[in-house]
Short mmCIF file of all heavy atoms in Angstrom, two decimals:
data_model
loop_
_atom_site.label_atom_id
_atom_site.label_comp_id
_atom_site.label_asym_id
_atom_site.label_seq_id
_atom_site.Cartn_x
_atom_site.Cartn_y
_atom_site.Cartn_z
N HIS A 60 -23.37 -3.28 5.19
CA HIS A 60 -24.32 -3.61 4.09
C HIS A 60 -23.58 -3.28 2.75
O HIS A 60 -23.06 -2.12 2.58
CB HIS A 60 -25.60 -2.80 4.13
CG HIS A 60 -26.43 -3.12 5.37
ND1 HIS A 60 -27.25 -4.22 5.37
CD2 HIS A 60 -26.68 -2.45 6.51
CE1 HIS A 60 -27.89 -4.25 6.52
NE2 HIS A 60 -27.58 -3.23 7.22
N ASN A 61 -23.48 -4.28 1.86
CA ASN A 61 -22.73 -4.12 0.68
C ASN A 61 -23.53 -4.27 -0.58
O ASN A 61 -24.31 -5.23 -0.66
CB ASN A 61 -21.63 -5.25 0.60
CG ASN A 61 -20.80 -5.25 1.92
OD1 ASN A 61 -20.15 -4.33 2.29
ND2 ASN A 61 -20.98 -6.32 2.66
N PHE A 62 -23.46 -3.31 -1.50
CA PHE A 62 -24.18 -3.35 -2.73
C PHE A 62 -23.14 -3.30 -3.86
O PHE A 62 -22.20 -2.36 -3.81
CB PHE A 62 -25.20 -2.27 -2.85
CG PHE A 62 -26.21 -2.16 -1.79
CD1 PHE A 62 -25.99 -1.53 -0.60
CD2 PHE A 62 -27.42 -2.88 -1.93
CE1 PHE A 62 -26.97 -1.49 0.44
CE2 PHE A 62 -28.41 -2.84 -0.92
CZ PHE A 62 -28.08 -2.15 0.27
N GLN A 63 -23.33 -4.12 -4.92
CA GLN A 63 -22.31 -4.14 -6.03
C GLN A 63 -23.08 -4.45 -7.31
O GLN A 63 -23.87 -5.41 -7.42
CB GLN A 63 -21.31 -5.18 -5.73
CG GLN A 63 -20.25 -5.32 -6.88
CD GLN A 63 -19.25 -6.43 -6.51
OE1 GLN A 63 -18.79 -6.60 -5.41
NE2 GLN A 63 -18.90 -7.19 -7.56
N LEU A 64 -22.75 -3.65 -8.33
CA LEU A 64 -23.28 -3.81 -9.70
C LEU A 64 -22.11 -3.99 -10.64
O LEU A 64 -21.28 -3.04 -10.67
CB LEU A 64 -24.22 -2.64 -10.08
CG LEU A 64 -24.83 -2.68 -11.50
CD1 LEU A 64 -25.74 -3.88 -11.74
CD2 LEU A 64 -25.51 -1.43 -11.79
N SER A 65 -22.06 -5.12 -11.37
CA SER A 65 -21.01 -5.32 -12.27
C SER A 65 -21.41 -5.74 -13.61
O SER A 65 -22.49 -6.33 -13.78
CB SER A 65 -20.01 -6.39 -11.70
OG SER A 65 -20.63 -7.59 -11.58
N TYR A 66 -20.51 -5.44 -14.63
CA TYR A 66 -20.78 -5.92 -16.00
C TYR A 66 -19.49 -6.37 -16.62
O TYR A 66 -18.40 -5.76 -16.47
CB TYR A 66 -21.23 -4.69 -16.78
CG TYR A 66 -21.39 -4.93 -18.29
CD1 TYR A 66 -22.43 -5.78 -18.82
CD2 TYR A 66 -20.45 -4.41 -19.18
CE1 TYR A 66 -22.53 -5.96 -20.10
CE2 TYR A 66 -20.54 -4.65 -20.60
CZ TYR A 66 -21.57 -5.49 -21.05
OH TYR A 66 -21.73 -5.68 -22.36
N LYS A 67 -19.55 -7.49 -17.19
CA LYS A 67 -18.31 -8.19 -17.84
C LYS A 67 -18.71 -8.71 -19.22
O LYS A 67 -19.76 -9.35 -19.40
CB LYS A 67 -17.83 -9.29 -16.99
CG LYS A 67 -16.55 -10.05 -17.48
CD LYS A 67 -16.22 -11.18 -16.62
CE LYS A 67 -15.83 -10.72 -15.23
NZ LYS A 67 -15.24 -11.86 -14.41
N ARG A 68 -17.76 -8.44 -20.15
CA ARG A 68 -17.98 -8.91 -21.56
C ARG A 68 -16.65 -9.12 -22.30
O ARG A 68 -15.83 -8.31 -22.12
CB ARG A 68 -18.91 -7.87 -22.30
CG ARG A 68 -19.17 -8.25 -23.68
CD ARG A 68 -19.96 -7.12 -24.41
NE ARG A 68 -20.26 -7.50 -25.82
CZ ARG A 68 -20.89 -6.71 -26.66
NH1 ARG A 68 -21.27 -5.49 -26.30
NH2 ARG A 68 -21.13 -7.10 -27.88
N GLU A 69 -16.64 -10.09 -23.14
CA GLU A 69 -15.50 -10.27 -24.01
C GLU A 69 -15.76 -9.53 -25.34
O GLU A 69 -16.90 -9.54 -25.89
CB GLU A 69 -15.24 -11.76 -24.28
CG GLU A 69 -14.75 -12.54 -23.06
CD GLU A 69 -14.37 -13.97 -23.40
OE1 GLU A 69 -14.67 -14.36 -24.59
OE2 GLU A 69 -13.80 -14.62 -22.48
N VAL A 70 -14.70 -8.89 -25.83
CA VAL A 70 -14.93 -8.11 -27.09
C VAL A 70 -13.76 -8.54 -28.06
O VAL A 70 -12.82 -9.13 -27.67
CB VAL A 70 -14.84 -6.61 -26.83
CG1 VAL A 70 -16.09 -6.17 -25.97
CG2 VAL A 70 -13.58 -6.24 -26.08
N PHE A 71 -13.93 -8.12 -29.27
CA PHE A 71 -12.97 -8.38 -30.39
C PHE A 71 -12.66 -9.89 -30.44
O PHE A 71 -11.45 -10.25 -30.34
CB PHE A 71 -11.71 -7.51 -30.17
CG PHE A 71 -11.95 -6.10 -30.23
CD1 PHE A 71 -11.79 -5.33 -29.02
CD2 PHE A 71 -12.33 -5.44 -31.43
CE1 PHE A 71 -12.05 -3.91 -29.12
CE2 PHE A 71 -12.49 -4.12 -31.42
CZ PHE A 71 -12.33 -3.35 -30.26
N LYS A 72 -13.71 -10.69 -30.64
CA LYS A 72 -13.64 -12.12 -30.80
C LYS A 72 -12.87 -12.79 -29.63
O LYS A 72 -12.08 -13.70 -29.82
CB LYS A 72 -12.89 -12.36 -32.15
CG LYS A 72 -13.62 -11.92 -33.34
CD LYS A 72 -12.91 -12.19 -34.61
CE LYS A 72 -13.70 -11.73 -35.76
NZ LYS A 72 -13.01 -12.11 -37.16
N GLY A 73 -13.07 -12.34 -28.47
CA GLY A 73 -12.54 -12.93 -27.25
C GLY A 73 -11.15 -12.58 -26.91
O GLY A 73 -10.57 -13.17 -26.02
N LYS A 74 -10.57 -11.62 -27.71
CA LYS A 74 -9.19 -11.24 -27.41
C LYS A 74 -9.01 -10.30 -26.21
O LYS A 74 -8.06 -10.28 -25.54
CB LYS A 74 -8.57 -10.54 -28.68
CG LYS A 74 -8.49 -11.49 -29.85
CD LYS A 74 -7.90 -10.68 -31.02
CE LYS A 74 -7.70 -11.59 -32.29
NZ LYS A 74 -7.08 -10.79 -33.46
N TYR A 75 -10.16 -9.59 -25.96
CA TYR A 75 -10.12 -8.66 -24.86
C TYR A 75 -11.35 -8.90 -23.92
O TYR A 75 -12.31 -9.51 -24.42
CB TYR A 75 -10.18 -7.25 -25.33
CG TYR A 75 -8.98 -6.79 -26.10
CD1 TYR A 75 -8.81 -6.99 -27.49
CD2 TYR A 75 -7.91 -6.12 -25.51
CE1 TYR A 75 -7.72 -6.60 -28.24
CE2 TYR A 75 -6.80 -5.66 -26.15
CZ TYR A 75 -6.73 -5.91 -27.52
OH TYR A 75 -5.63 -5.54 -28.30
N GLU A 76 -11.21 -8.52 -22.71
CA GLU A 76 -12.38 -8.61 -21.76
C GLU A 76 -12.46 -7.33 -21.05
O GLU A 76 -11.47 -6.67 -20.60
CB GLU A 76 -12.13 -9.71 -20.77
CG GLU A 76 -13.23 -9.87 -19.81
CD GLU A 76 -12.93 -10.97 -18.68
OE1 GLU A 76 -11.99 -10.74 -17.97
OE2 GLU A 76 -13.72 -11.96 -18.64
N ILE A 77 -13.68 -6.69 -20.92
CA ILE A 77 -13.95 -5.45 -20.32
C ILE A 77 -14.79 -5.68 -19.08
O ILE A 77 -15.72 -6.47 -19.10
CB ILE A 77 -14.57 -4.42 -21.18
CG1 ILE A 77 -14.65 -3.16 -20.49
CG2 ILE A 77 -15.90 -4.89 -21.75
CD1 ILE A 77 -15.07 -1.93 -21.41
N CYS A 78 -14.41 -5.12 -17.93
CA CYS A 78 -15.16 -5.26 -16.70
C CYS A 78 -15.42 -3.86 -16.12
O CYS A 78 -14.51 -3.06 -16.02
CB CYS A 78 -14.33 -6.14 -15.68
SG CYS A 78 -13.87 -7.79 -16.24
N VAL A 79 -16.67 -3.64 -15.76
CA VAL A 79 -17.11 -2.35 -15.11
C VAL A 79 -17.85 -2.73 -13.76
O VAL A 79 -18.69 -3.63 -13.78
CB VAL A 79 -18.01 -1.54 -16.00
CG1 VAL A 79 -18.31 -0.22 -15.40
CG2 VAL A 79 -17.31 -1.32 -17.38
N GLU A 80 -17.53 -2.05 -12.72
CA GLU A 80 -18.00 -2.38 -11.43
C GLU A 80 -18.34 -1.00 -10.71
O GLU A 80 -17.50 -0.11 -10.62
CB GLU A 80 -17.16 -3.24 -10.68
CG GLU A 80 -17.61 -3.50 -9.20
CD GLU A 80 -16.51 -4.27 -8.42
OE1 GLU A 80 -15.65 -3.68 -7.90
OE2 GLU A 80 -16.67 -5.51 -8.31
N ALA A 81 -19.46 -1.00 -9.94
CA ALA A 81 -19.79 0.08 -9.07
C ALA A 81 -20.21 -0.58 -7.76
O ALA A 81 -20.83 -1.56 -7.73
CB ALA A 81 -20.90 0.99 -9.60
N TYR A 82 -19.88 0.14 -6.61
CA TYR A 82 -20.16 -0.42 -5.30
C TYR A 82 -20.50 0.61 -4.29
O TYR A 82 -20.10 1.82 -4.45
CB TYR A 82 -18.95 -1.24 -4.79
CG TYR A 82 -17.72 -0.41 -4.59
CD1 TYR A 82 -17.46 0.03 -3.34
CD2 TYR A 82 -16.74 -0.25 -5.64
CE1 TYR A 82 -16.29 0.94 -3.10
CE2 TYR A 82 -15.60 0.44 -5.38
CZ TYR A 82 -15.44 1.06 -4.11
OH TYR A 82 -14.30 1.87 -3.94
N TYR A 83 -21.23 0.20 -3.25
CA TYR A 83 -21.48 1.06 -2.13
C TYR A 83 -21.51 0.18 -0.85
O TYR A 83 -22.10 -0.90 -0.84
CB TYR A 83 -22.89 1.75 -2.31
CG TYR A 83 -23.21 2.59 -1.06
CD1 TYR A 83 -22.78 3.85 -0.94
CD2 TYR A 83 -24.07 2.01 -0.05
CE1 TYR A 83 -23.16 4.66 0.23
CE2 TYR A 83 -24.44 2.80 0.99
CZ TYR A 83 -23.92 4.04 1.16
OH TYR A 83 -24.31 4.77 2.24
N LYS A 84 -20.88 0.64 0.21
CA LYS A 84 -20.78 -0.13 1.42
C LYS A 84 -21.08 0.87 2.66
O LYS A 84 -20.50 1.92 2.74
CB LYS A 84 -19.44 -0.75 1.64
CG LYS A 84 -18.97 -1.71 0.61
CD LYS A 84 -17.63 -2.25 0.82
CE LYS A 84 -17.21 -3.29 -0.20
NZ LYS A 84 -15.87 -3.81 0.08
N LYS A 85 -22.03 0.45 3.44
CA LYS A 85 -22.33 1.17 4.69
C LYS A 85 -21.69 0.37 5.84
O LYS A 85 -22.02 -0.76 6.02
CB LYS A 85 -23.84 1.22 4.84
CG LYS A 85 -24.26 2.04 6.15
CD LYS A 85 -23.90 3.45 6.00
CE LYS A 85 -24.36 4.29 7.24
NZ LYS A 85 -23.94 5.69 7.22
N LEU A 86 -20.85 1.08 6.62
CA LEU A 86 -20.07 0.42 7.62
C LEU A 86 -20.46 0.83 9.03
O LEU A 86 -20.70 2.06 9.28
CB LEU A 86 -18.59 0.75 7.41
CG LEU A 86 -18.06 0.50 5.94
CD1 LEU A 86 -16.63 1.14 5.78
CD2 LEU A 86 -18.06 -0.93 5.64
N TYR A 87 -20.46 -0.01 9.94
CA TYR A 87 -20.87 0.22 11.36
C TYR A 87 -19.71 -0.27 12.26
O TYR A 87 -19.04 -1.20 11.97
CB TYR A 87 -22.16 -0.42 11.69
CG TYR A 87 -23.31 -0.06 10.76
CD1 TYR A 87 -23.60 -0.79 9.71
CD2 TYR A 87 -24.12 1.05 11.08
CE1 TYR A 87 -24.62 -0.48 8.83
CE2 TYR A 87 -25.17 1.36 10.21
CZ TYR A 87 -25.40 0.60 9.10
OH TYR A 87 -26.43 0.98 8.28
N ASN A 88 -19.60 0.49 13.44
CA ASN A 88 -18.68 0.11 14.54
C ASN A 88 -17.25 0.02 14.03
O ASN A 88 -16.52 -0.97 14.34
CB ASN A 88 -19.14 -1.24 15.18
CG ASN A 88 -20.49 -1.27 15.69
OD1 ASN A 88 -20.98 -0.24 16.20
ND2 ASN A 88 -21.21 -2.32 15.52
N GLN A 89 -16.73 0.97 13.25
CA GLN A 89 -15.39 1.05 12.85
C GLN A 89 -14.57 1.52 13.93
O GLN A 89 -14.93 2.27 14.91
CB GLN A 89 -15.28 2.09 11.69
CG GLN A 89 -16.10 1.67 10.46
CD GLN A 89 -15.69 0.35 9.82
OE1 GLN A 89 -14.70 0.23 9.27
NE2 GLN A 89 -16.61 -0.62 10.01
N VAL A 90 -13.26 1.05 13.90
CA VAL A 90 -12.30 1.43 14.99
C VAL A 90 -11.02 2.07 14.33
O VAL A 90 -10.72 1.73 13.23
CB VAL A 90 -11.88 0.16 15.80
CG1 VAL A 90 -13.08 -0.42 16.56
CG2 VAL A 90 -11.31 -0.90 14.92
N GLU A 91 -10.39 2.88 15.17
CA GLU A 91 -9.12 3.57 14.69
C GLU A 91 -8.37 3.84 15.91
O GLU A 91 -8.85 4.36 16.98
CB GLU A 91 -9.55 4.82 13.85
CG GLU A 91 -8.25 5.48 13.37
CD GLU A 91 -8.54 6.65 12.45
OE1 GLU A 91 -9.17 6.44 11.39
OE2 GLU A 91 -8.10 7.80 12.80
N TYR A 92 -7.07 3.59 15.83
CA TYR A 92 -6.08 3.88 16.98
C TYR A 92 -5.88 5.37 17.12
O TYR A 92 -5.62 6.01 16.09
CB TYR A 92 -4.80 3.11 16.69
CG TYR A 92 -3.89 3.06 17.92
CD1 TYR A 92 -4.14 2.18 18.96
CD2 TYR A 92 -2.81 3.91 18.06
CE1 TYR A 92 -3.40 2.09 20.10
CE2 TYR A 92 -1.96 3.85 19.17
CZ TYR A 92 -2.25 2.97 20.14
OH TYR A 92 -1.48 2.88 21.28
N ASN A 93 -6.06 5.82 18.30
CA ASN A 93 -5.97 7.21 18.50
C ASN A 93 -4.91 7.59 19.57
O ASN A 93 -4.93 8.67 20.16
CB ASN A 93 -7.39 7.76 19.02
CG ASN A 93 -7.40 9.28 19.10
OD1 ASN A 93 -6.91 9.98 18.24
ND2 ASN A 93 -7.92 9.77 20.24
N GLY A 94 -3.92 6.73 19.72
CA GLY A 94 -2.97 7.04 20.71
C GLY A 94 -1.52 6.94 20.12
O GLY A 94 -1.33 7.11 18.91
N SER A 95 -0.53 6.68 20.98
CA SER A 95 0.79 6.60 20.63
C SER A 95 1.33 5.20 20.96
O SER A 95 0.86 4.63 21.90
CB SER A 95 1.64 7.64 21.39
OG SER A 95 3.06 7.36 21.34
N PRO A 96 2.31 4.73 20.15
CA PRO A 96 2.87 3.42 20.56
C PRO A 96 3.46 3.35 21.97
O PRO A 96 3.49 2.30 22.51
CB PRO A 96 4.00 3.26 19.49
CG PRO A 96 3.55 3.99 18.30
CD PRO A 96 2.91 5.18 18.91
N LEU A 97 3.80 4.46 22.51
CA LEU A 97 4.30 4.50 23.87
C LEU A 97 3.20 4.41 24.90
O LEU A 97 3.49 4.15 26.12
CB LEU A 97 5.04 5.81 24.11
CG LEU A 97 6.33 6.11 23.22
CD1 LEU A 97 6.94 7.38 23.51
CD2 LEU A 97 7.31 4.96 23.32
#
Side-chain angles (χ1 to χ4, degrees):
H60 291 284
N61 310 296
F62 301 89
Q63 178 180 321
L64 178 63
S65 63
Y66 172 74
K67 182 184 294 186
R68 180 184 180 183
E69 290 186 354
V70 294
F71 298 110
K72 298 181 180 181
K74 296 181 179 180
Y75 295 85
E76 181 183 63
I77 185 170
C78 303
V79 182
E80 176 188 81
Y82 64 89
Y83 175 85
K84 299 180 180 181
K85 182 63 177 178
L86 310 171
Y87 303 92
N88 303 323
Q89 300 297 291
V90 296
E91 183 173 300
Y92 192 77
N93 188 43
S95 164
L97 299 179

